[in-house]
Amino acid sequence: MTERIDAKGLVRLIHGSLEALGRHKEEINALNVFPVPDGDTGTNMYLTMQAVVEEIRRSGDSSMAAVCQAVARGSLMGARGNSGVVLSQVLRGFTQVLEGHEDAGVPELALALRKGSEVAYRAVMKPVEGTILTVVREASEEGEEASKHHRELEDWLAQVARRARESLSRTPELLPVLREAGVVDAGGMGFVVILEGMLSALSGKDLEAVEEELARWDTPTETVSPSQAEDFRYEIQFLLRCEDEGVEDFRRELARIGGSVLVVGGDGLYRVHLHTDRLGEAVELASARGRMSDVEITDLREQVENLKAAGDTSASPGAMGEIGVVVVASGQGLREVFTSLGAGAVVEGGQSMNPSTAELLEAVESLPQGRVVILPNNKNIVPAAEQVKGLTRKEVVVVPTRSVVEGLAALVAMDGKLGLAENGERMARAASGVKTGLLTHAVRDSRWSGGEVRKGYYIGLFREGIVSHHEDLFQAAVGLLEAMMEGDEELLTVILGEGFPEGLEGSLREYAEGRGLEVEVIRGGQPLYPLILGLE
Amino acid sequence: MLVHRTELGEVRITDEALAELAGLACTRCYGVVGMAGQSLQEGVAELLGRESLTRGVKLRRKGDRVVIHLYVILEAGVNIAEVANNLVEQVKYVLRRAAGLEVDEVQVHVQGVRTGG
């Protein structure tokens, strides 16, 4: 534990921040959408900091005043890009305070950080909130507050870094362009990384350990965070040249095969980031959209194993951060799909086997999160799910999804950065935007308005009624699809259940594509319904 | 005047509006702390305290080419060359994004540096 640092100590902190930026610059680049989405924020901040280190080395003088001057001069001369210029102003303010001291403790550093924030805000007419400026300001406010309680630099800096992370996670609330792209601010992330690098240098712990420690404290709501626990094996990143129109669909396709989806850019050029187990599918989806280049693939298993070893053993936290998700579904394939989309617990159930309130309650309690969304995926299960609310201390929202298709749509629409109630509304809206068709067997002969149905025939159900029937599954499926279509739909999700004949998938896809639909096939493996269709 | 022809008709964007977009980008560009008015008219408006988004922005056409001149005041202690670079990028980006205009040239004139504080 250290209470004061001298010039040498300051230089160590700066080296630590450079190292951290070097390690995370690609991630930061991938977040860059503002003010110009050119994907270079991480590189720019790294180069700016590198110029600082270079200038310190060149000056050769190790007094505090000399080091401070070198930091200010190096960052001024070496500033690259917007975030580099902002960083140079922060460092300028910071060193203006420190250069008057031979060594610095918490009070001096708190003041220096405050000055850094002030100087940074001065150099722009209309400061845009939700950027690195916001993160710097809120971190500096925390620095002043924390200086009243801490004498140890490590404790103080840890608190500042935690606050910076928390501030970063809220940047999408302040800057709409970030929210639309589903990212946190790149420059803000760079500043968080700098603080974490300094903390690592100060404490002597390696960077991963520092990040994990901070991540345990904070509410991990960022879409991409260096230490977020996920169960996907691979990270894939690439550039994609494609038509702008299809990008939203593409993003949705990726979300179905993985997590931490980022598709940012515009004007025909996009930077894509995805965590997935299904590398082949990711590549197929992308190459169907356009030309891929600069493909990078990382195996995340090691990272995940490290995190598991760190004590994360209970239910999977899911990919959604601070909001947990409980889903009702049956069929191995559907369970996997829901889990990969971020559901923390899947309760077995569905038509004719409704789970009890107790089972749902148990699933809710098994999640690490204090706030939970339940997707019942059947109207008969909604009441049982509603009862869970009164039986747990956790905050629970039930999104009344009536089918797995609605459940999928709802889960895809979930945004870990929004609040629980807001997410509930958003998910319900997404669920209501998709139509569900079910294909099953008639269990006995019966009559309906359209005629007679014989036992053993396939029947298509839509909006509580029988809309098609045929002894041939394909014909019944086509009838069902036609009954569901109103003309403006674009995407058909096909969930194959038990009893769906091998080989029929192709003809179904062909038929739907002939009707102008984009087709998404999921091997759900659910009982009773050989086929479930989702149309949106 | 910038004209986009679509199936439904034409969209016309005046040079004044384009200049306002450029001016707006300047106010948000990090390092730029003010715009310098060029004309007597602007000088009077400034004295009267009237804010204009197009102050310090001149849009010129040379045949088909569009050239934008920006007269700016920067904060002392920023890297002037880099801020000018960023400004060029941001103004080009905003005009392309918002108006579909490809600017051929952006000239940044640093008219002053604000010190003090």
Side-chain angles (χ1 to χ4, degrees), chain B residues 19 22 36-39 42 54-60 67-71 107:
Chain B
Q38 285 301 287
S39 64
E42 280 179 328
T54 58
R55 190 203 311 166
V57 183
K58 292 278 169 287
L59 193 142
R60 299 260 181 273
V67 182
I68 290 181
H69 293 266
L70 303 170
Y71 300 86
Q107 296 277 355

Side-chain angles (χ1 to χ4, degrees), chain A residues 380-490:
Chain A
N380 298 332
I381 304 174
V382 175
E386 288 287 350
Q387 283 180 17
V388 173
K389 286 185 189 169
L391 299 169
T392 175
R393 284 175 183 224
K394 295 189 177 187
E395 243 183 290
V396 172
V397 162
V398 177
V399 178
T401 51
R402 294 165 302 178
S403 69
V404 287
V405 173
E406 291 189 3
L408 287 172
L411 196 48
V412 169
M414 184 162 175
D415 183 343
K417 289 182 288 297
L418 299 177
L420 185 64
E422 210 177 328
N423 255 312
E425 285 167 25
R426 187 185 161 95
M427 292 168 81
R429 216 175 313 129
S432 66
V434 46
K435 292 182 281 191
T436 307
L438 303 167
L439 193 85
T440 188
H441 276 103
V443 290
R444 56 184 161 79
D445 290 351
S446 60
R447 298 181 73 82
W448 59 293
S449 57
E452 270 179 59
V453 181
R454 296 230 202 96
K455 182 179 170 190
Y457 267 42
Y458 290 96
I459 52 176
L461 303 167
F462 177 53
R463 294 191 175 136
E464 319 255 292
I466 299 175
V467 294
S468 74
H469 72 296
H470 205 282
E471 62 184 321
D472 178 41
L473 185 146
F474 181 70
Q475 293 303 331
V478 166
L480 172 61
L481 177 59
E482 289 299 332
M484 291 166 71
M485 281 187 78
E486 283 160 319
D488 55 346
E489 297 88 354
E490 288 166 354

Side-chain angles (χ1 to χ4, degrees), chain A residues 241-258:
Chain A
R241 279 169 215 285
C242 67
E243 299 286 326
D244 297 326
E245 287 77 48
V247 167
E248 273 314 307
D249 290 340
F250 180 54
R251 196 195 309 273
R252 208 155 38 192
E253 288 166 10
L254 292 183
R256 292 200 175 154
I257 61 165

Side-chain angles (χ1 to χ4, degrees), chain B residues 63-112:
Chain B
D64 285 349
R65 291 168 56 81
V66 177
V67 182
I68 290 181
H69 293 266
L70 303 170
Y71 300 86
V72 298
I73 297 165
L74 304 188
E75 175 73 9
V78 297
N79 182 325
I80 291 175
E82 194 58 23
V83 170
N85 259 333
N86 296 337
L87 186 56
V88 172
E89 288 294 314
Q90 276 163 245
V91 166
K92 280 188 166 178
Y93 177 72
V94 163
L95 286 171
R96 187 165 61 232
R97 244 346 246 265
L101 174 71
E102 288 296 335
V103 179
D104 296 286
E105 206 179 309
V106 178
Q107 296 277 355
V108 178
H109 307 262
V110 179
Q111 298 294 98

Side-chain angles (χ1 to χ4, degrees), chain A residues 16-30:
Chain A
S17 66
L18 177 68
E19 199 195 317
L21 279 174
R23 219 174 302 173
H24 289 300
K25 63 177 189 287
E26 290 303 326
E27 265 166 79
I28 300 170
N29 283 345

Side-chain angles (χ1 to χ4, degrees), chain A residues 35-37 76-77 79-82 85-86 89 92 119-126 128 133 267, chain B residues 26-35 75-79 82-83 86 89-90 93 96 114 117:
Chain A
V36 178
L76 165 66
M77 303 303 289
R80 287 275 298 262
N82 254 292
V85 178
V86 178
Q89 292 300 99
R92 182 155 161 263
V119 170
Y121 264 85
R122 240 178 13 221
V124 62
M125 275 186 273
K126 294 204 171 110
V128 180
L133 286 173
D267 297 332
Chain B
C26 291
T27 65
R28 295 197 174 142
C29 178
Y30 194 82
V32 178
V33 293
M35 305 299 289
E75 175 73 9
V78 297
N79 182 325
E82 194 58 23
V83 170
N86 296 337
E89 288 294 314
Q90 276 163 245
Y93 177 72
R96 187 165 61 232
R114 188 183 70 182

